Amino acid sequence: MTIAKGKAPFRADHVGSLLRPESIHKARKDFKEGTITASELYDIETTEITRVVDKQIEVGLLAVTDGEFRRRFWHTDFLEHLTGVEGYVPEHGFKFKGEDTEAYDVRVTGKISFNQDHPQINEFIQFKEIVGDRAVAKQTIPSPNQLFNAGIRNLEIYPDIEDFAKDVIQTYRDTIQAFYDAGCRYLQLDDVYIAGLNAPNIPFNDSGHSREELIELALRVINGVLEDKPEDLVVTTHLCRGNYRSKWAFEGSYAKIAPTLFAKEKVDGFFLEYDDDRSGDFEPLEHIPNGGPQVVLGLFTSKHGELEDKETIKARFEEATQYVPAEQLCLSPQCGFASTHHGNILTEEEQWEKLKYIVDLSKELWG
């Protein structure tokens, strides 16, 4: 089968991460204990990525991911392989509603730049070969704005946040070009930082700058990264309020960032969380330019397996069309099913049922 023509994001899409199968959990444990080699672990991951690509295509998705099966965390595995960044174990994890995360983070140790030997480039090349022409191979990476979270910037190396921003922008311009050269045509930037700028109290800020200054800086970083990007490369961004073992980190509508970021960010689409009351209403969508970025409504939760009521989803979809025309809308879960290796609290069967449900409902809404 050859993928039908169309441009991402698709009417039925998904954020990216999928529940790790037990074989990967076991292989990671065996590797840590020294009973299998890194090569053997990689081969097991490749086998499972092949299976999960087939399954995504089977449920009707036009864009597929590798499930982030080679990662422990959605962001640190990418960031710690940039030049000038290292991963480390801090004293404690991040505070989520009802649980602290496993302690792991990244920090800047030198001038930041793109690493030409970044492992995720070759991983994407192999993943794209697995997909072939059966679907669009979608790559997910953390947004450049994730590097502005508290504790990451080294003030001795980068006392001026503008100098840091300049190097981050160039690092990600080089990153995007590397993925493009590897064959990537659908790239998603995952961004908890920008979503956090909506929270009543910004959860990850140690910069000394105001909310308004940080929103403007976040816009300049993203648009600087996307300046002169290849025309046939689709870049979307996913705004997340935290996703760890079905827990969340913070709440708040998109109202504070919408006039700046929704109106001016030069992405091709926004993946937005709208699965519960924490997300606020659809009114901030009025700032999305007519005919501008696609808006992927995350009306379905990835945090539990129960299927959403169809009529409720249709009613919410109609409500969203008051602000964005239907042809500019898409559907997806609000986040991935396993932003970290732990995964959310649902079964693989429930995961696949939910994704198929989204595909089937999209056909009802758009034909």
Side-chain angles (χ1 to χ4, degrees):
M1 180 187 80
T2 300
I3 181 68
K5 289 184 178 180
K7 185 178 179 181
F10 296 99
R11 296 301 184 198
D13 216 310
H14 74 115
V15 170
S17 65
L18 297 164
L19 293 171
R20 313 302 196 263
E22 185 55 38
S23 60
I24 286 184
H25 289 305
K26 182 179 184 303
R28 290 271 173 86
K29 180 175 180 291
D30 291 344
F31 173 69
K32 188 175 181 180
E33 294 174 352
T35 59
I36 65 171
T37 65
S39 178
E40 289 171 320
L41 170 60
Y42 192 92
D43 290 344
I44 291 169
E45 292 169 344
T46 300
T47 297
E48 292 298 344
I49 289 169
T50 301
R51 181 187 66 83
V52 85
V53 165
D54 292 344
K55 188 66 179 178
Q56 289 171 83
I57 294 169
E58 179 186 321
V59 300
L61 291 166
L62 300 181
V64 302
T65 72
D66 64 359
E68 302 180 6
F69 279 6
R70 300 197 196 278
R71 306 185 203 180
R72 293 183 65 252
F73 289 79
W74 63 276
H75 58 318
T76 55
D77 294 68
F78 174 83
L79 295 173
E80 67 187 355
H81 284 104
L82 296 174
T83 300
V85 180
E86 71 171 7
Y88 74 105
V89 179
E91 291 183 5
H92 53 78
F94 293 103
K95 287 196 174 298
F96 272 55
K97 185 70 173 180
E99 184 173 1
D100 287 2
T101 68
E102 177 185 341
Y104 199 78
D105 204 354
V106 297
R107 58 191 173 193
V108 170
T109 59
K111 289 290 186 179
I112 186 172
S113 63
F114 178 66
N115 171 16
Q116 296 295 331
D117 295 320
H118 198 294
Q120 288 189 12
I121 300 298
N122 284 331
E123 289 169 8
F124 176 80
I125 291 172
Q126 184 179 33
F127 162 59
K128 191 172 187 299
E129 289 175 354
I130 291 170
V131 177
D133 63 359
R134 298 178 297 158
V136 174
K138 175 181 178 178
Q139 176 70 21
T140 64
I141 61 173
S143 165
N145 281 310
Q146 287 302 123
L147 287 164
F148 292 84
N149 278 325
I152 295 180
R153 175 167 62 109
N154 187 317
L155 297 181
E156 292 184 2
I157 298 170
Y158 288 108
D160 186 343
I161 198 171
E162 292 293 340
D163 289 339
F164 184 54
K166 180 181 177 182
D167 283 358
V168 169
I169 289 170
Q170 188 58 53
T171 297
Y172 266 77
R173 285 173 65 90
D174 293 342
T175 296
I176 287 177
Q177 188 62 51
F179 275 113
Y180 184 83
D181 292 344
C184 180
R185 296 297 180 269
Y186 185 8
L187 182 70
Q188 178 179 293
L189 305 175
D190 293 320
D191 208 322
V192 175
Y193 175 82
I194 286 181
L197 295 178
N198 288 287
N201 297 305
I202 300 174
F204 312 124
N205 181 27
D206 65 349
S207 68
H209 293 274
S210 70
R211 185 193 306 271
E212 291 71 23
E213 289 171 329
L214 294 176
I215 290 173
E216 288 289 343
L217 178 61
L219 176 69
R220 285 193 286 115
V221 167
I222 289 291
N223 285 351
V225 166
L226 297 180
E227 188 177 351
D228 299 325
K229 80 168 178 68
E231 288 188 10
D232 60 338
L233 173 65
V234 172
V235 178
T236 61
T237 189
H238 167 235
L239 304 190
C240 176
R241 296 176 179 84
N243 188 51
Y244 180 84
R245 288 177 47 80
S246 297
K247 307 297 194 305
W248 49 270
F250 54 90
E251 53 192 329
S253 80
Y254 296 114
K256 294 181 176 67
I257 67 163
T260 300
L261 291 164
F262 284 6
K264 301 175 184 177
E265 192 170 323
K266 295 178 181 178
V267 291
D268 298 297
F270 290 97
F271 280 75
L272 302 178
E273 291 193 325
Y274 274 116
D275 62 323
D276 61 22
D277 293 340
R278 289 183 304 112
S279 308
D281 59 28
F282 294 123
E283 189 172 348
L285 298 182
E286 67 184 3
H287 295 281
I288 299 286
N290 189 22
Q294 295 291 105
V295 175
V296 188
L297 297 172
L299 300 176
F300 306 80
T301 189
S302 68
K303 296 184 185 298
H304 61 74
E306 181 182 354
L307 295 180
E308 288 75 6
D309 177 74
K310 182 185 292 188
E311 295 309 314
T312 299
I313 293 294
K314 287 183 175 181
R316 297 200 71 203
F317 175 83
E318 286 300 318
E319 184 183 351
T321 63
Q322 297 176 30
Y323 304 99
V324 180
E327 61 268 21
Q328 210 170 321
L329 295 175
C330 307
L331 298 177
S332 79
Q334 105 290 347
C335 196
F337 291 91
S339 298
T340 69
H341 64 93
H342 313 83
N344 284 345
I345 312 302
L346 74 164
T347 67
E348 283 190 62
E349 182 179 1
E350 289 172 330
Q351 168 187 266
W352 296 120
E353 286 178 352
K354 184 152 293 198
L355 288 172
K356 187 176 188 306
Y357 185 52
I358 294 170
V359 170
D360 291 345
L361 187 52
S362 74
K363 293 175 182 177
E364 288 189 36
L365 290 173
W366 286 282

